[in-house]
Amino acid sequence: MKRWIFCCLSLLLVGTALAQTPADSVSRSEAIDSVVVTARKPLMIYKQTGNIAVNIEQLKYAPLFAGEKDIFKFLQLLPGVSAGKDGMSGLLVRGGSNDQTLILYDDVPIYNQAHAYGILSIFSGETVQSAEVSKGYISPAYGSRLSALTQIRTREGDRQDHRQSLTMGTLSLAGTVDGPIVRNKGSYLVSARYFFPEAVLALVGNAVRFGFYDLTGKLAYDIHPSHTLSLGVYSGDDHMTNKEDYARNEYGWGNTTASLRLESRWNDNLRSSIVAYYTYLQNRQESEYEDDDFKNWGKTTYKTHEFGARLTFDQRLTRAWSLDYGANISHQRFMPMHSKGYVNGQHKERGYSSEQLVSGALFLNNRFQWGGWRADVGIRAAMYDNSEQTRFAVEPRAQLAYDFGNDNAMWLSGTINSQALVQYNRYYYSMPIDFWTPFRDGKLQHAWQMALGGRARLRENLTLSLEGYYKQMRNLPLIYDSDDFLLGRGGFVYGTGRAWGLEIMLQRQTERLSLTVSYTYTNSRRSSEGVTYPFEYDVPHDFNTFLSYDVLKRPGRRHTFTFNMSWRSGLPYRLTNESYPDTNGNPIVGITAYPSMRMRNYFRSDISYNMERRKRNGVRNWQFSIINWTWHKNPVCIYPYQGTYKATVLVPIMPSVSYTRTFGK
């Protein structure tokens, strides 16, 4: 506790000292002898109640995780957002689980956002244009999740000049090309990334090999001065192989997405957007054993398919009144597990029954704006059909905000959400698989949330944002037997949840400094079968700070030092000293149905130094980072060992280096 309090106070003092400017040059943009002094953009921008946009420009200066610019590691710095366990790529928002956050990549739902068993996200920092997280008020255009909406947008290629970039990281190699198809009318972008330890392990003859790749592409073209058509694709895959003399085991998972979007401007008061998409998630495990007498082979797969479309209109009726309205529809098919193989010369095949979910919704949002006031009053009417039952949900949503001017504002919101999907994790042959299934017993998950917040400008380039919330949830499934659950024989009970908290964020910007300090208090509980207990990712206290300072800033050269630090309460954990013997007499430790203890408090600090230099034909960039430079051991799991407890640590001290060379204007 003393350590993080000391670090917090020290950083605030250092940041304030670095930010001091003369009294005659404190404005955001003031010309002095033809030199313009402009404050850096803040790391995070509140756009409306609980809706925060991230400054993507800052991403290239953030400490690299395994040499990667990871947007999800950036989003986890937001108040009210957590990764869960150390190093993971989850987004747990305001007492919700990972499946309660809807993740959209160019409006395409993503069912698994992680590479490398959750350590890295699938989104390449070279292609991301924008990232927003909506925690409070969520537009009625989006639904099907209880807690939050995360929108990641891919940038378009340059419409004027062709550009190329190559990035060599500690463990990966990436390249991006973009440019005009027809100058000022269309563009292309293609980006590829490869995690190359797999090739190194193969060269040295190691039996275990792991790697991943991803490909991102986007085409955009103005088919008419008022209509733009764009096509986006993504494909990524993780794979691990363990090969010995007589046996071979392979594991893998991956995402594939495609979207076609038409954006139209019919007149000055009416715009529309229509997008059709496909998303696919697959997990697989394959084993083979062969000797002189026989050969056994088996393969297990799990797949999720979704086709969908969304139509949105944005219409301005008067100077003070606008409408957003439209519809969306989707069809999801879930294939939980399918196994086939040859065992002792015989073909065998088994699997769980596939399931499907058809969803549709109509939405309407009224947006009023007069003077400093803004009000949004909307409704979403949704239908969910799982082939056995059809359920409807009506979700009213509203927010009211007042802008006092000069960076001072207040807001209030109320939101109702429903969810028809259930996600849980289990292991097959040590391979983690995320199962998604439709709702059961005709019960949708429901949540309502109230939030109140505001933003105040304390002094020039110094703002304080504060937001409190209260949320209740019901029909939350607690799965205790995944096989029975998949077979439709129960294996779960329903529960309720509640969460309330307070989120505080302080931001300071000058010409060279960007400082963000945030603190979140959360109280999150679950109840089932008469027992109330902490949510497994309940974090009462969460403190984050991000500091970026330009050590050198002059035309053509820029050196930036970046520091971020996180301290939070330890996670609840389910563990008991009770055990039972396996067939060989070794103890198997029992796991309780509810959390019975907490891990120790979490602390991690990362540093980075970025050197950027403009060349005649582009930009050269070196970045040196150290993740967890204090070498603090943060546990991701705990287990009993000889009368005491031991912990597994996923992220030790991790130095990394990255070199990026960009060609073109």
Side-chain angles (χ1 to χ4, degrees):
M1 177 70 75
K2 292 180 180 179
R3 172 164 47 184
W4 76 264
I5 292 176
F6 173 77
C7 290
C8 172
L9 294 175
S10 299
L11 277 172
L12 286 174
L13 291 173
V14 171
T16 302
L18 290 172
Q20 294 302 316
T21 56
D24 60 350
S25 59
V26 294
S27 63
R28 285 185 181 271
S29 181
E30 179 179 349
I32 304 175
D33 295 332
S34 300
V35 176
V36 177
V37 179
T38 305
R40 292 176 64 175
K41 293 181 180 179
L43 174 66
M44 306 168 191
I45 303 171
Y46 268 99
K47 300 185 67 175
Q48 56 187 5
T49 311
N51 184 323
I52 302 181
V54 176
N55 181 4
I56 297 297
E57 178 67 17
Q58 298 274 15
L59 178 61
K60 67 180 180 181
Y61 305 118
L64 302 173
F65 199 95
E68 289 291 319
K69 300 183 180 78
D70 195 332
I71 184 62
F72 264 49
K73 297 295 186 290
F74 221 42
L75 295 176
Q76 290 160 4
L77 297 175
L78 300 177
V81 179
S82 172
K85 296 180 180 179
D86 186 30
M88 296 291 101
S89 294
L91 287 182
L92 311 174
V93 180
R94 291 184 172 178
S97 52
N98 187 64
D99 68 315
Q100 293 173 354
T101 298
L102 175 61
I103 300 173
L104 297 179
Y105 190 34
D106 285 338
D107 269 343
V108 182
I110 299 296
Y111 286 94
N112 185 343
Q113 70 272 21
H115 278 311
Y117 291 92
I119 296 177
L120 298 169
S121 76
I122 65 173
F123 308 107
S124 170
E126 302 295 328
T127 61
V128 174
Q129 176 185 2
S130 64
E132 295 183 16
V133 176
S134 300
K135 304 175 294 178
Y137 178 79
I138 299 175
S139 168
Y142 303 98
S144 74
R145 298 295 191 276
L146 295 189
S147 291
L149 166 68
T150 299
Q151 294 177 288
I152 310 293
R153 296 284 186 188
T154 304
R155 67 179 177 90
E156 291 186 3
D158 193 286
R159 293 195 170 201
Q160 292 288 334
D161 301 290
H162 296 279
R163 301 182 303 182
Q164 307 85 35
S165 70
L166 179 66
T167 299
M168 173 72 77
T170 306
L171 299 174
S172 64
L173 181 66
T176 303
V177 294
D178 68 283
I181 300 174
V182 176
R183 197 174 297 273
N184 295 322
K185 289 198 66 175
S187 66
Y188 69 90
L189 180 144
V190 179
S191 182
R193 178 173 55 162
Y194 177 59
F195 194 71
F196 57 69
E198 173 188 36
V200 176
L201 292 171
L203 288 175
V204 299
N206 195 292
V208 179
R209 302 169 190 175
F210 174 78
F212 70 76
Y213 73 86
D214 48 35
L215 300 169
T216 303
K218 191 169 187 177
L219 299 175
Y221 192 79
D222 295 338
I223 57 177
H224 183 273
S226 299
H227 304 280
T228 300
L229 186 67
S230 60
L231 171 67
V233 294
Y234 169 84
S235 180
D237 189 80
D238 288 66
H239 43 272
M240 186 178 76
T241 303
N242 184 3
K243 188 174 183 180
E244 300 177 357
D245 292 338
Y246 299 101
R248 176 180 59 87
N249 289 288
E250 293 185 2
Y251 313 91
W253 66 94
N255 291 274
T256 299
T257 70
S259 64
L260 183 65
R261 177 193 303 273
L262 176 64
E263 294 186 349
S264 303
R265 186 180 64 188
W266 301 100
N267 53 53
D268 291 341
N269 296 319
L270 180 62
R271 296 171 180 265
S272 69
S273 174
I274 182 169
V275 56
Y277 66 84
Y278 169 71
T279 182
Y280 169 64
L281 167 67
Q282 54 85 17
N283 291 270
R284 63 190 183 277
Q285 189 269 333
E286 185 175 354
S287 298
E288 183 178 26
Y289 182 83
E290 182 178 8
D291 63 12
D292 297 334
D293 299 324
F294 64 91
K295 175 181 179 180
N296 290 342
W297 171 85
K299 185 176 183 179
T300 300
T301 59
Y302 165 79
K303 300 176 182 179
T304 296
H305 301 264
E306 179 177 350
F307 293 90
R310 177 181 291 107
L311 173 63
T312 305
F313 289 94
D314 184 351
Q315 184 173 7
R316 184 178 180 181
L317 301 179
T318 68
R319 293 184 63 182
W321 180 22
S322 300
L323 289 178
D324 298 322
Y325 55 92
N328 65 266
I329 188 171
S330 66
H331 177 270
Q332 298 149 309
R333 187 183 180 194
F334 309 94
M335 305 170 67
M337 189 187 78
H338 181 78
S339 298
K340 61 181 179 180
Y342 291 92
V343 180
N344 297 327
Q346 296 182 348
H347 175 77
K348 294 188 176 183
E349 191 167 350
R350 64 181 294 267
Y352 297 104
S353 300
S354 63
E355 299 178 279
Q356 67 175 7
L357 178 69
V358 177
S359 307
L362 299 174
F363 56 86
L364 170 67
N365 185 65
N366 294 271
R367 186 169 64 251
F368 304 96
Q369 193 157 1
W370 64 100
W373 290 97
R374 170 172 171 167
D376 289 85
V377 181
I379 191 167
R380 179 181 177 87
M383 179 276 297
Y384 303 98
D385 184 280
N386 66 356
S387 299
E388 297 179 356
Q389 299 154 320
T390 302
R391 290 295 179 264
F392 298 91
V394 179
E395 306 168 7
R397 304 173 187 180
Q399 72 166 344
L400 179 65
Y402 184 75
D403 189 345
F404 298 93
N406 199 31
D407 247 359
N408 298 292
M410 289 191 65
W411 51 76
L412 171 69
S413 73
T415 304
I416 292 179
N417 295 315
S418 62
Q419 181 168 329
L421 293 178
V422 180
Q423 179 203 30
Y424 65 97
N425 182 275
R426 67 171 292 179
Y427 280 78
Y428 277 114
Y429 305 102
S430 300
M431 173 187 171
I433 297 179
D434 292 323
F435 284 86
W436 292 84
T437 62
F439 65 95
R440 302 294 172 87
D441 300 336
K443 292 185 178 182
L444 301 174
Q445 301 177 60
H446 294 281
W448 64 266
Q449 178 181 249
M450 296 291 294
L452 174 65
R455 180 178 65 252
R457 189 177 187 181
L458 303 181
R459 55 178 294 185
E460 190 71 24
N461 300 329
L462 180 65
T463 59
L464 174 67
S465 303
L466 184 147
E467 184 165 320
Y469 68 91
Y470 182 82
K471 178 167 63 176
Q472 283 197 346
M473 299 168 281
R474 59 186 174 91
N475 296 340
L476 304 178
L478 174 64
I479 300 170
Y480 57 83
D481 191 314
S482 57
D483 288 309
D484 283 345
F485 180 79
L486 289 173
L487 291 170
R489 301 187 305 215
F492 72 102
V493 295
Y494 285 110
T496 60
R498 66 156 179 82
W500 62 276
L502 180 66
E503 301 165 359
I504 304 172
M505 183 169 66
L506 185 70
Q507 292 188 289
R508 171 73 162 163
Q509 282 81 40
T510 68
E511 182 189 5
R512 291 195 173 196
L513 173 74
S514 177
L515 173 64
T516 299
V517 179
S518 67
Y519 168 77
T520 302
Y521 173 78
T522 303
N523 186 298
S524 179
R525 295 290 182 268
R526 295 284 194 269
S527 297
S528 60
E529 297 187 313
V531 179
T532 299
Y533 52 93
F535 174 51
E536 62 178 322
Y537 293 110
D538 175 58
V539 179
H541 304 283
D542 190 351
F543 174 85
N544 289 284
T545 186
F546 180 89
L547 182 148
S548 179
Y549 181 74
D550 291 332
V551 179
L552 173 66
K553 187 176 183 181
R554 64 190 189 200
R557 296 188 67 184
R558 184 175 183 177
H559 289 196
T560 304
F561 171 77
T562 304
F563 171 91
N564 67 258
M565 182 187 68
S566 298
W567 179 94
R568 59 177 177 261
S569 305
L571 293 173
Y573 203 72
R574 299 182 297 158
L575 196 62
T576 176
N577 282 320
E578 298 178 0
S579 63
Y580 59 92
D582 62 11
T583 55
N584 297 322
N586 299 315
I588 297 178
V589 179
I591 297 178
T592 60
Y594 313 105
S596 57
M597 60 182 296
R598 276 190 183 270
M599 298 182 182
R600 70 180 184 183
N601 293 337
Y602 174 94
F603 176 83
R604 201 181 89 194
S605 179
D606 311 325
I607 56 176
S608 176
Y609 194 81
N610 189 86
M611 298 186 299
E612 182 178 276
R613 184 164 187 171
R614 178 160 292 280
K615 297 289 189 177
R616 184 175 58 182
N617 60 343
V619 178
R620 183 214 66 193
N621 193 85
W622 282 98
Q623 186 167 0
F624 305 90
S625 299
I626 305 178
I627 299 295
N628 193 21
W629 69 280
T630 61
W631 211 325
H632 190 81
K633 297 179 180 179
N634 296 300
V636 294
C637 65
I638 302 173
Y639 57 94
Y641 180 77
Q642 296 181 353
T644 184
Y645 292 100
K646 296 194 71 173
T648 299
V649 176
L650 179 64
V651 182
I653 184 171
M654 294 176 61
S656 63
V657 62
S658 173
Y659 173 80
T660 300
R661 184 66 168 91
T662 302
F663 301 92
K665 295 182 180 180

